[in-house]
Amino acid sequence: MSRHVAIVTDSTAYLPARTMERHGITAVPLTVVLGDRALEEGTEISTRSLAQALQKRRPVTTSRPGPEVFAETYRKVAESGATGIVSLHLSAELSGTYDAAVVAARGAPVPVRVVDTGMIAMALGFCALAAAESAEAGGTVDEAVTAAEKRAADTSAYFYVDTLDYLRRGGRIGAAQALLGSALAVKPLLQLAGGRIEPLEKVRTASKAIARLEEIAAERAGGAEVDIAVHHLAAPDRASALADRLRARVPGLADLHVSEVGAVIGAHTGPGLLGVVVSAR
């Protein structure tokens, strides 16, 4: 990566470690609070431990990184040779992470552009990759930001949850609150819109909902060149089967990523989550 522009994101981008290393991307961890223990996502709590805690109805909350964590990250990145930083984060509608980064950026030793991508999971990850590729090609901070924002505008995220209960508990349900009255009778499909979790469709059974999720993702991809990510929590077989079907029916598929979400997103969606991110190149 260009030593002139560095890319920082947060742990909810769920980029593979080898991809982050190859592109020189730094991720600041969010925190999961399990009972009275605060644990960093990605290093101190596994998704299996999270799923077990949720299934046992143990109290689970999440927390943003403090500004001091971002300040230390920016300092280290600057010391490594960067003369500018692009800091890309999950939707400010869902987390205070962006706000903490903005506070830290004011005192950073090099200029920092903090961007609210309005995205989560690999929808955010694809934005970080676009910025990193711009930087690798010698792009400026402004050019890397533009690349990330363009990728965000061309990215859609859809997901299925077995229940809305976890989103309700975490206060992240937004307009999908309207689905709660019939939550026992339907399997909801949701989307990320305007940085918020919004209802998309109500489907009667899990199998029909997953089939509809596949159909929506394929329609969104169309014939364009796209990258797709399939996310899950404690549902690897469902995710693998969905990925195989998308691979067969999306003609312009470039890269396909299949991964389990981390503890922060998982805490708000619960086991059984299936998500699809479609991102045009």
Side-chain angles (χ1 to χ4, degrees):
M1 191 177 96
S2 164
R3 291 183 63 81
H4 297 293
V5 176
I7 308 303
V8 172
T9 187
D10 59 67
S11 59
T12 68
Y14 301 138
L15 287 163
R18 62 184 180 277
T19 300
M20 291 188 15
E21 183 176 355
R22 183 166 68 248
H23 292 281
I25 299 170
T26 302
V28 175
L30 274 72
T31 300
V32 175
V33 182
L34 186 59
D36 59 356
R37 300 176 63 205
L39 305 167
E40 284 190 357
E41 181 175 44
T43 58
E44 297 179 338
I45 181 170
S46 68
T47 49
R48 176 175 293 182
S49 297
L50 170 78
Q52 290 172 344
L54 291 173
Q55 287 162 348
K56 293 176 181 176
R57 300 188 70 83
R58 293 179 62 190
V60 180
T61 58
T62 58
S63 177
R64 72 176 190 181
E68 67 280 359
V69 178
F70 279 106
E72 178 66 7
T73 299
Y74 296 153
R75 182 187 64 77
K76 288 181 178 178
V77 169
E79 287 178 352
S80 74
T83 57
I85 298 170
V86 177
S87 198
L88 302 153
H89 301 291
L90 81 161
S91 172
E93 295 281 348
L94 302 175
S95 169
T97 300
Y98 166 81
D99 294 331
V102 168
V103 171
R106 294 175 187 144
V110 297
V112 180
R113 285 281 301 279
V114 183
V115 179
D116 171 13
T117 65
M119 299 282 118
I120 53 174
M122 271 299 292
L124 168 59
F126 287 132
C127 294
L129 283 174
E133 288 165 359
S134 173
E136 287 167 352
T140 64
V141 165
D142 286 346
E143 288 169 336
V145 169
T146 296
E149 291 178 337
K150 183 179 186 304
R151 194 69 186 258
D154 291 335
T155 297
S156 299
Y158 311 100
F159 55 103
Y160 158 84
V161 291
D162 275 336
T163 172
L164 290 169
D165 190 42
Y166 299 103
L167 284 163
R168 178 190 58 78
R169 285 190 230 168
R172 301 305 199 278
I173 201 166
Q177 182 81 23
L179 294 176
L180 277 175
S182 55
L184 294 178
V186 301
K187 292 297 183 181
L189 292 178
L190 307 170
Q191 64 180 333
L192 194 65
R196 297 180 298 274
I197 295 167
E198 304 280 3
L200 182 60
E201 292 183 9
K202 294 184 287 186
V203 186
R204 287 293 176 185
T205 67
S207 60
K208 288 180 179 178
I210 293 168
R212 182 61 182 140
L213 180 65
E214 173 192 340
E215 185 176 338
I216 291 167
E219 288 173 354
R220 171 65 178 83
E225 184 180 12
V226 297
D227 296 323
I228 290 178
V230 176
H231 289 306
H232 72 92
L233 180 63
D237 293 341
R238 276 180 173 177
S240 179
L242 176 57
D244 287 344
R245 294 194 300 271
L246 287 171
R247 190 178 286 112
R249 68 182 293 179
V250 177
L253 182 61
D255 287 333
L256 178 63
H257 305 258
V258 181
S259 65
E260 192 164 32
V261 297
V264 168
I265 300 300
H268 295 292
T269 59
L273 163 76
L274 273 183
V276 181
V277 176
V278 180
S279 184
R281 288 200 166 193

